[in-house]
Amino acid sequence: MASTPTLPPLLRESGQREVFCGLTSIVWLHRRMPDAFFLVVGSRTCAHLVQSAAGVMIFAEPRFGTAILGERDLAGLADANEELDRVVGDLLERRPEIRTLFLVGSCPSEVIKLDLAKAAERITTRLRGRVRVVNYSGSGIETTFTQGEDGALSALVPLLPRCDDDQLLLVGTLADGVEDRLLTLFERLGVGPVRSLPPRQSTDLPSVGAGTRLLMAQPFLSDTVRALERRGARRLPSPYPLGVEGSRAWMAAAAAAFAVDEARVAEVLDPLVERGRRALVPLRRQLEGKRLFLMPDSQLEIPLARFLSRECGMDLVEVGTPYLDRTLMAEELALLPDGTQLSEGQDLERQLERVRAARPDLVVCGLGLANPLEAEGIATKWSIELVFSPIHGIDQAADLAELFARPLHRRELLQWN
Amino acid sequence: MELTLWTYEGPPHVGAMRIAASMEGLHYVLHAPQGDTYADLLFTMIERRDRRPPVTYTTFQARDLGGDTAELVTRSIQQAVDRFRPEALLVGESCTAELIQDQPGALAGGMGLGLPVVNLELPAYSKKENWGAAETLYQLCRTLLRERMPAPGSSKPAPDRWKSEGRRPRVNLLGPSLLGFRCRDDIKEIRGLLGEHGIDVNLVAPLGARPSDLLRLPVADANVCLYPEVAGPLCSWLERNFGTPVLRTVPIGVGATRRFLRELSALLGLEPPESNEADLRSRLPWYSRSVDSTYLTGKRVFIFADATHAIAAARIAADELGFTVVGLGTYSRELAREVRAAASDLGLEALITDDYLAVEKAMGDAAPELVLGTQMERHSAKRLGIPCAVISSPLHVQDVPARYAPQMGWEGANVIFDSWVHPLMMGLEEHLIGMFRHDFEFVEGHRSHLADGAPSRPGGMAEAAQAVAVASSPPPPLPSSSLQPSSLPLAEGALIWSVDGEAALRKIPFFVRGKVKTNTETFARDNALGEITEEVLYDAKAHYSK
């Protein structure tokens, strides 16, 4: 790796935060594992959040729901455990094909200290053989947006079967097409067996053990990594598979761990790198020299900033992240250009003042801010799309760049005279 | 604990946000955990607003709970007032903040902010969004108008005082808000309608009003309660304390618009409107009378919505489109009585519930040909394969259209005619599918005028081959579970459909088949018939046609 860049001191901010809570992770996890159901234990606010995010899709069979706490539950008039058993019973009667039930904690359930972990254990025992019940917290007070996936996956870790054979485990949600493509490439490299967490079926869990090497597809999985490491797995340090450079380094890290000859790696990957760079050329022309401001949202911000500056030539004004795990981000930080201003946390109004003062060419931000900033004449790229899009791997580098070029291109296209 | 797959209303603080975001110059400090800012998206994405809602959230996190969350509240309040300089301030809690009891409203009251502060007490575990909106609007007006209330016992202003004052009569339009159903265009339509009848609009609130505007509420000659869910309590309070009469007829539908104009004219002492005005101004009466609409007669329709839109829809469906209303309900408990009355006029029992599953079950039992509901009913209708149109909140982004799309007044009736008839199969297609069932393109359930031919997938040749096979060989068992989920326990009473019975049932056009099936099974059970043959089906048909 290149020499460590000189970065100004991290800007640590606290104040109003405009971010999603971890419950939002349900919006993509329910599609990754269609045989799972996500039952939030919380308030009407939680139910409203999830349906506002996902309710534009029309579901013949809902994949998520909320056990809404009532006054009787708060006053202790109703036994919370009995109530939960009843609600789960009703749900499973309607949806007998559910194989894994996630009991998802929320702010209200955490504040009143409802022990959902114990409830999950109890219900699993009662329904043995039919449905596995696990628990994680997606509450706003503890988790930000993608950290919900971290909770869900780390709740699955204890259920993984033990196996100490050598294998590669890809950790973090990948789009199906991307996953298939990466598996093909690992096969060409002679790396394998390769499994994914989360799997496509919640019952088809990969094994874990001393021979397991972890390749992190997503940067927001701190707890999951630690849980897997406690079960003997070892993380392969690498930047994340965003862009040509990051993806090549990512695959090469796995190849090295599986003692694949460097010449073989070059033989398989370098043609892809060459093609990927070519595909990036027209996009780089649109993005080069443009000033980019990333507001905190998903923890994808640092790898994205690295890709957009090094491979697309963008200038970084500020790179915000909701939470900075320096261990998981070490390889990424080393690749950032000198002088990159990082910020962790948020004081929304002050950050918006910095946005307005800097007048960046593109702001990556959440949907609560995007249209208002557009109305102020500032181009935006809404950040949530990045967790819903196939962006990983060398072959996806141009698609990833296009997500950022598209709003700028659109501004050039539209005219009213 | 209550299992909720879809919720009809958000929590009450979202109702309060609707009031704040609908108005100008009003700010809302909301004590809420990190993540509750999702509600901003309702306004920036669904309503497609070009500015952030005027809401400051404290966004506390777990680590704040160990410290002084009350200090966080006062800091947020001070910063919001300094930065946004509102005319008035709302202060309240979300559901999680309600549990930690920092009393933000009381804190704000003690800060000497020098502006009106409304302390919102919205019980998040027992009340919901519309209640929160109504309570917020009421408390805000009460706070602002407290000092202008006439002394008890003062005489009421006469609604026709405009005559002696030598001006046109003026009314307030109360209730329209963001995230309400088509409020933006309803106001425009009603404003135009009133203008044509010589009536001025004094104030529209909350949508577009400032707190200082609300001080002008009492100078109107009457209050028009356009959306009772939001403005009902305020209108009653203004009537009690300022003597302003209220018009509660909601002008959705041709008949309701005519009644609205008649009643308002009578209230204000104006000449009654021309009796043929509806025919001149709305196309619905002619479109509905024209022969192309004859096949709409008796179409079975299931209605579930907020109370205002449900009641209006039931009258339009029954009186103006000639449908048969087979189910009517609402999630608005506050207005349950009004919906019960409307249902009983139609010989129905109203379904008052906020349980999505209960609505889905009632819909399945009623086996309608058309569902008029909310965004939530689109899910159940998809499951049951029934055409559906959205008539009320909760809504999603496609129901905040760019085009002019009111529900109220003459143009609203035009919009309603188009959007309710559109999902139904067109008349010619309906006839031909009833006659010829073996087509390779126009298969059962197919609606070729819809882009996706919904609800059934057009299967082309494969499906046609299957249709031929069905016609010539014993049919496979009916998908009774998908037709009538959990509503018809076929095992009970051991009802068996014979092969010829099932074949006869298949010949019934798909959109009425659910009802025929229910009727036949009821008939068989009532007559203690164990097996349903083709003849039993025809017996039942004759029995129910009496």
Side-chain angles (χ1 to χ4, degrees):
Chain A
M1 296 269 158
S3 62
T4 317
T6 335
L7 301 181
L10 175 70
L11 193 58
R12 264 211 185 82
E13 292 216 299
S14 64
Q16 181 177 329
R17 294 167 68 113
E18 181 93 10
V19 289
F20 281 124
C21 66
L23 296 181
T24 326
S25 57
I26 295 169
V27 176
W28 65 91
L29 287 174
H30 83 268
R31 289 290 175 89
R32 175 67 187 182
M33 295 179 283
D35 61 341
F37 191 96
F38 295 82
L39 181 64
V40 178
V41 181
S43 65
R44 192 166 300 283
T45 307
C46 310
H48 195 236
L49 157 77
V50 181
Q51 86 177 32
S52 303
V56 74
M57 298 178 279
I58 308 297
F59 290 85
E61 290 298 349
R63 318 269 185 88
F64 42 77
T66 308
I68 295 184
L69 297 164
E71 285 186 318
R72 282 164 47 80
D73 303 294
L74 299 179
L77 292 176
D79 181 312
N81 288 314
E82 282 172 23
E83 285 288 291
L84 198 56
D85 287 2
R86 178 180 58 77
V87 165
V88 169
D90 290 352
L91 174 66
L92 294 176
E93 194 180 317
R94 184 189 152 95
R95 301 292 311 281
E97 73 285 5
I98 294 169
R99 288 294 159 263
T100 304
L101 176 65
F102 287 91
L103 291 182
V104 190
S106 66
C107 300
S109 73
E110 297 295 333
V111 167
I112 64 171
K113 306 234 177 295
L114 205 54
D115 194 342
L116 293 179
K118 207 165 238 171
E121 250 173 60
R122 187 184 64 246
I123 302 173
T124 300
T125 312
R126 191 156 57 79
L127 301 171
R128 186 168 296 285
R130 263 190 67 205
V131 183
R132 279 194 296 207
V133 185
V134 291
N135 155 251
Y136 72 95
S137 172
S139 76
I141 57 177
E142 296 158 301
T143 61
T144 304
F145 193 31
T146 47
Q147 283 178 315
E149 176 171 329
D150 192 21
L153 299 192
S154 51
L156 290 175
V157 170
L159 305 180
L160 304 189
R162 168 143 217 116
C163 175
D164 288 331
D165 296 348
D166 284 348
Q167 65 162 341
L168 182 66
L169 186 59
L170 309 181
V171 189
T173 294
L174 289 168
D176 290 352
V178 165
E179 184 186 29
D180 292 341
R181 176 69 181 156
L182 294 172
L183 292 178
T184 307
L185 295 177
F186 281 123
E187 199 179 326
R188 273 189 215 164
L189 286 169
V191 171
V194 187
R195 295 295 311 274
S196 298
L197 183 70
R200 294 185 194 184
Q201 294 293 319
S202 67
T203 46
D204 181 29
L205 292 172
S207 60
V208 66
T212 304
R213 302 286 180 281
L214 305 175
L215 202 48
M216 308 301 297
Q218 300 282 12
F220 42 73
L221 299 170
S222 307
D223 289 348
T224 306
V225 178
R226 262 141 232 153
L228 288 165
E229 284 174 342
R230 277 197 297 277
R231 296 203 51 189
R234 271 174 294 163
R235 182 177 74 91
L236 301 175
S238 157
Y240 293 90
L242 301 181
V244 171
E245 180 188 35
S247 302
R248 192 195 189 286
W250 187 75
M251 299 201 81
F258 281 73
V260 178
D261 190 51
E262 279 205 26
R264 177 69 190 151
V265 174
E267 189 188 344
V268 172
L269 295 185
D270 287 354
L272 306 186
V273 168
E274 161 64 16
R275 186 177 63 193
R277 294 225 164 103
R278 263 202 323 271
L280 272 175
V281 170
L283 295 154
R284 185 177 172 111
R285 223 174 284 137
Q286 294 181 54
L287 293 172
E288 194 154 35
K290 297 283 196 299
R291 299 169 64 250
L292 178 70
F293 195 118
L294 297 107
M295 301 190 80
D297 190 55
S298 62
Q299 299 182 52
L300 283 165
E301 295 81 8
I302 291 172
L304 288 171
R306 179 262 302 160
F307 163 67
L308 290 166
S309 67
R310 289 173 67 98
E311 297 184 51
C312 301
M314 295 189 86
D315 293 335
L316 305 177
V317 179
E318 179 174 327
V319 181
T321 179
Y323 174 67
L324 178 58
D325 183 328
R326 286 194 176 272
T327 313
L328 290 187
M329 213 50 87
E331 289 74 23
E332 288 287 349
L333 293 174
L335 291 173
L336 286 177
D338 277 340
T340 303
Q341 178 62 62
L342 292 175
S343 62
E344 183 186 18
Q346 189 174 35
D347 183 341
L348 177 63
E349 302 294 352
R350 288 180 53 191
Q351 194 169 42
L352 284 173
E353 279 171 11
R354 294 200 296 278
V355 168
R356 291 185 186 115
R359 296 296 298 186
D361 297 301
L362 189 66
V363 177
V364 178
C365 63
L367 288 172
L369 301 170
N371 274 335
L373 284 173
E374 291 281 350
E376 291 182 30
I378 297 173
T380 60
K381 164 77 213 101
W382 53 284
S383 51
I384 303 135
E385 194 175 16
L386 296 159
V387 300
F388 297 150
S389 302
I391 60 172
H392 299 84
I394 300 172
D395 302 306
Q396 303 293 331
D399 292 359
L400 177 57
E402 207 273 333
L403 287 178
F404 296 87
R406 194 184 299 162
L408 297 174
H409 180 48
R410 183 170 180 77
R411 295 193 136 226
E412 286 169 12
L413 280 178
L414 298 183
Q415 49 183 319
W416 321 107
N417 44 19
Chain B
M1 240 176 251
E2 170 201 351
L3 174 61
T4 309
L5 297 180
W6 300 106
T7 171
Y8 284 97
E9 295 181 71
H13 75 259
V14 169
M17 277 188 73
R18 283 171 57 185
I19 302 302
S22 297
M23 291 182 60
E24 313 278 338
L26 176 66
H27 201 85
Y28 183 17
V29 175
L30 178 60
H31 194 22
Q34 163 178 280
D36 280 3
T37 51
Y38 82 87
D40 284 357
L41 273 69
L42 304 170
F43 301 94
T44 60
M45 298 306 293
I46 294 178
E47 283 281 359
R48 230 183 276 258
R49 298 277 283 178
D50 61 359
R51 65 193 109 151
R52 291 166 55 212
V55 182
T56 295
Y57 304 79
T58 57
T59 57
F60 59 86
Q61 294 175 266
R63 60 167 179 263
D64 298 315
L65 293 177
D68 189 355
T69 45
E71 196 276 328
L72 177 63
V73 173
T74 49
R75 181 158 30 102
S76 301
I77 291 170
Q78 193 62 56
Q79 284 174 355
V81 170
D82 292 346
R83 181 177 292 271
F84 298 104
R85 310 226 158 257
E87 289 177 19
L89 190 70
L90 305 175
V91 181
E93 298 160 304
S94 79
C95 52
T96 306
E98 189 181 328
L99 297 172
I100 57 179
Q101 301 195 341
D102 282 321
Q103 314 283 348
L107 288 174
M111 288 173 68
L113 295 169
L115 76 171
V117 174
V118 183
N119 175 14
L120 295 176
E121 308 245 5
L122 309 176
Y125 296 91
S126 56
K127 301 293 188 187
K128 298 196 279 282
E129 178 179 334
N130 281 335
W131 187 90
E135 172 73 6
T136 302
L137 183 62
Y138 159 66
Q139 292 293 355
L140 174 65
C141 294
R142 199 168 151 255
T143 303
L144 294 171
L145 290 170
R146 192 174 288 148
E147 286 168 8
R148 301 186 177 223
M149 289 202 316
S154 351
S155 61
K156 287 186 176 182
D160 62 355
R161 68 188 146 153
W162 56 275
K163 289 178 180 162
S164 57
E165 292 175 9
R167 56 172 175 83
R168 282 157 54 114
R170 59 190 175 214
V171 298
N172 296 320
L173 302 184
L174 299 181
S177 64
L178 297 180
L179 296 179
F181 197 71
R182 308 283 170 87
C183 293
R184 177 196 71 192
D185 297 341
D186 281 348
I187 303 171
K188 185 174 174 202
E189 184 68 19
I190 295 305
R191 196 189 274 278
L193 189 71
L194 295 177
E196 288 162 11
H197 289 83
I199 303 165
D200 288 337
V201 173
N202 176 58
L203 179 64
V204 177
L207 193 54
R210 306 185 68 87
S212 51
D213 294 333
L214 297 178
L215 299 175
R216 289 191 285 115
L217 279 170
V219 308
D221 300 311
N223 285 321
V224 172
C225 187
L226 285 182
Y227 303 92
E229 276 86 352
V230 173
L234 171 63
C235 288
S236 302
W237 181 78
L238 288 168
E239 187 169 32
R240 275 199 312 278
N241 289 285
F242 292 88
T244 321
V246 187
L247 183 66
R248 293 189 189 269
T249 299
V250 178
I252 302 177
V254 170
T257 303
R258 292 185 61 194
R259 276 199 307 286
F260 172 84
L261 287 173
R262 271 203 311 272
E263 289 169 15
L264 189 57
S265 301
L267 184 67
L268 294 169
L270 283 159
E271 290 293 306
E274 301 287 332
S275 62
N276 63 345
E277 184 179 349
D279 275 331
L280 296 173
R281 299 300 316 281
S282 177
R283 291 187 196 95
L284 184 141
W286 169 241
Y287 269 53
S288 188
R289 278 200 307 272
S290 69
V291 295
D292 194 45
S293 297
T294 311
Y295 86 110
L296 299 177
T297 313
K299 285 258 181 230
R300 304 163 50 78
V301 56
F302 180 90
I303 299 169
F304 193 85
D306 68 20
T308 303
H309 290 89
I311 294 169
R315 292 204 69 143
I316 297 169
D319 298 348
E320 301 176 19
L321 294 174
F323 292 155
T324 303
V325 181
V326 296
L328 176 61
T330 186
Y331 58 84
S332 311
R333 280 183 197 282
E334 293 83 4
L335 296 164
R337 193 156 25 117
E338 288 81 350
V339 179
R340 285 205 181 93
S344 114
D345 287 347
L346 294 163
L348 296 166
E349 191 172 338
L351 175 67
I352 312 294
T353 183
D354 57 359
D355 179 354
Y356 161 81
L357 293 175
V359 178
E360 187 187 84
K361 183 175 182 320
M363 190 191 297
D365 290 349
E369 294 162 73
L370 175 68
V371 172
L372 301 174
T374 72
Q375 173 73 10
M376 304 306 130
E377 275 60 62
R378 298 179 69 199
H379 299 286
S380 315
K382 178 183 181 186
R383 180 183 163 98
L384 300 171
I386 303 170
C388 178
V390 174
I391 61 164
S392 139
S393 299
L395 48 79
H396 231 299
V397 62
Q398 66 271 42
D399 280 304
V400 188
R403 67 175 184 278
Y404 185 54
Q407 300 288 291
M408 293 183 176
W410 308 135
E411 181 62 19
N414 297 342
V415 170
I416 284 172
F417 182 90
D418 289 345
S419 52
W420 294 10
V421 172
H422 176 75
L424 295 169
M425 183 184 284
M426 315 273 280
L428 174 64
E429 182 152 69
E430 182 178 312
H431 283 297
L432 290 176
I433 283 198
M435 286 186 72
F436 310 112
R437 294 160 179 282
H438 61 281
D439 198 276
F440 60 84
E441 179 183 354
F442 300 96
V443 296
E444 196 172 73
H446 183 67
R447 283 170 278 147
S448 62
H449 71 294
L450 300 182
D452 59 354
S456 88
R457 61 275 166 256
M461 295 302 289
E463 194 126 348
Q466 202 189 344
V468 172
V470 165
S472 57
S473 63
L478 283 171
S480 59
S481 60
S482 68
L483 199 61
Q484 308 272 295
S486 68
S487 60
L488 277 181
L490 271 180
E492 181 204 313
L495 273 180
I496 297 164
W497 280 82
S498 73
V499 170
D500 69 328
E502 278 196 8
L505 182 59
R506 279 185 178 277
K507 289 177 193 155
I508 308 295
F510 73 97
F511 45 85
V512 285
R513 191 179 303 149
K515 190 63 203 169
V516 171
K517 182 165 183 276
T518 315
N519 281 352
T520 309
E521 287 173 355
T522 309
F523 177 82
R525 232 175 253 121
D526 291 350
N527 291 283
L529 302 168
E531 188 182 34
I532 302 178
T533 61
E534 185 174 6
E535 293 311 313
V536 174
L537 185 138
Y538 283 109
D539 284 344
K541 185 167 181 279
H543 175 80
Y544 285 105
S545 69
K546 269 187 275 184

